[in-house]
Amino acid sequence: MNESVEDVGPDEAFALLGNETRVAILRALADTRDGPLSFSALRERVGMRDSGQFNYHLGKLTGVFIDKVEDGYRLRYAGSHVVGAIHAGAYEHAASVGPFTLPDPCPACGGALEFAYENERASVICAACERTSLDGAVPPGVFDGYDRDEYPLVFDRWLRSKARGAVDGFCLSCEGRTTPEVLLDVDARGTDDRMARFGCKRCDEAVYMTIPEALLFDPAVIAFHHDHGVSPTAEPTWRLQWLKDTAVETVSTDPLRLRATGHVEDGTLTVTVDDSLSITDEHRA
Ligand SMILES: [Zn+2]
Ligand SMILES: [Zn+2]
């Protein structure tokens, strides 16, 4: 039976990777498009002469990061994630960028929005009122292949995709199950006293959003936007009226019901949600 990362434990799994040849093996397998690699083909790509040594390293990885199958070796899920993490963290051009000004104004005050990236953390903040539109840790590889002036939009899209994953039930850290809940009386960003939390049951990672942010993934809210000619997935966070002026009120606490009223162009949408952020009532005006 194969051992998995969870069988050997995280300490041992990481210790297995503390060797150049083993990392080279994972990278060689990740670079292969045409199925498993045989022992000799893999050894050739890694460039190691000593087949006994090579076999030793291969054995260490097998069952944890790679699988031995009928016609050779291939990456396991954990192995492809290791290589993915190496790529994600390896884009030196994005080491530090900005701050530079975005073409769009601050949604709150109309001042200049600035993008900055430093120490693997990006932000979009208003230089005038200091309101934060976006802020978060992001691996530099995300920006690979884009021009500098595209970085704010890329960052926004990347954060949105992570939020979407958490809303859909997947932890962005360990892929474990997330569950939605509503937090009352928090003043997380000074914008609202109610927040949505999507916490992982397995690893304690949690993604926090405002209620309007969380609702942006709901079909009713997406349809409302589409009917007014706005694609909420194509528009960046700082341009969405829904995120700027949707008002949230607590209708009842037992059972918990929140009511959110937002606008797009001349349309108004009011939705009522329960404690797991499911819409229980919807009204357009
Ligand atoms: Zn501002
Ligand atoms: Zn998790």
Side-chain angles (χ1 to χ4, degrees):
M1 202 191 91
N2 280 330
E3 288 176 306
S4 70
V5 172
E6 283 180 355
D7 290 334
V8 299
D11 291 355
E12 200 182 323
F14 281 115
L16 286 174
L17 296 171
N19 175 292
E20 272 181 39
T21 301
R22 293 178 201 168
V23 173
I25 290 171
L26 297 185
R27 296 187 83 144
L29 287 173
D31 286 343
T32 309
R33 297 271 171 268
D34 31 306
L37 278 180
S38 69
F39 180 88
S40 55
L42 182 55
R43 184 164 66 97
E44 203 169 294
R45 293 202 192 190
V46 172
M48 195 168 197
R49 291 230 190 109
D50 186 333
S51 112
Q53 271 280 331
F54 187 69
N55 192 40
Y56 168 77
H57 291 304
L58 211 48
K60 287 286 179 189
L61 294 172
T62 303
V64 184
F65 294 106
I66 65 180
D67 267 336
K68 187 175 189 325
V69 290
E70 203 176 317
D71 37 1
Y73 294 86
R74 70 174 179 212
L75 283 182
R76 287 176 71 105
Y77 189 73
S80 61
H81 266 250
V82 168
V83 178
I86 292 170
H87 286 311
Y91 183 52
E92 69 252 56
H93 305 296
S96 172
V97 177
F100 65 83
T101 305
L102 274 64
D104 296 316
C106 166
C109 79
L113 278 183
E114 289 187 337
F115 172 86
Y117 184 64
E118 203 174 3
N119 298 325
E120 306 202 334
R121 203 169 179 93
S123 61
V124 174
I125 297 175
C126 175
C129 74
E130 297 185 348
R131 179 183 188 270
T132 300
S133 281
L134 292 177
D135 177 55
V138 52
V142 165
F143 300 110
D144 197 357
Y146 292 100
D147 293 334
R148 208 186 71 141
D149 56 1
E150 293 176 285
Y151 286 5
L153 291 174
V154 171
F155 175 48
D156 182 59
R157 240 179 13 250
W158 183 82
L159 271 187
R160 203 85 75 83
S161 75
K162 295 292 156 189
R164 160 110 246 175
V167 171
D168 283 343
F170 305 105
C171 171
L172 55 89
S173 180
C174 80
E175 313 290 345
R177 180 178 183 179
T178 58
T179 43
E181 65 182 306
V182 172
L183 305 180
L184 298 173
D185 301 322
V186 285
D187 194 19
R189 282 188 232 170
T191 49
D192 200 335
D193 59 355
R194 283 150 297 226
M195 292 290 285
R197 179 185 188 274
F198 298 85
C200 175
K201 297 201 159 178
R202 189 159 63 184
C203 79
D204 282 345
E205 174 78 66
V207 174
Y208 295 83
M209 285 169 234
T210 64
I211 304 297
E213 278 170 345
L215 288 175
L216 206 52
F217 300 107
D218 191 283
V221 177
I222 293 170
F224 170 66
H225 278 81
H226 277 294
D227 291 347
H228 289 88
V230 177
S231 168
T233 48
E235 289 293 316
T237 294
W238 52 87
R239 265 188 232 152
L240 280 173
Q241 191 185 352
W242 176 265
L243 295 181
K244 182 183 152 191
D245 61 11
T246 293
V248 181
E249 54 185 322
T250 306
V251 180
S252 69
T253 50
D254 191 17
L256 184 68
R257 293 287 183 271
L258 301 180
R259 187 186 295 137
T261 304
H263 312 274
V264 175
E265 307 290 329
D266 58 347
T268 303
L269 174 68
T270 300
V271 294
T272 306
V273 298
D274 64 15
D275 57 355
S276 63
L277 291 156
S278 296
I279 292 183
T280 59
D281 187 58
E282 174 194 344
H283 178 74
R284 289 197 197 187

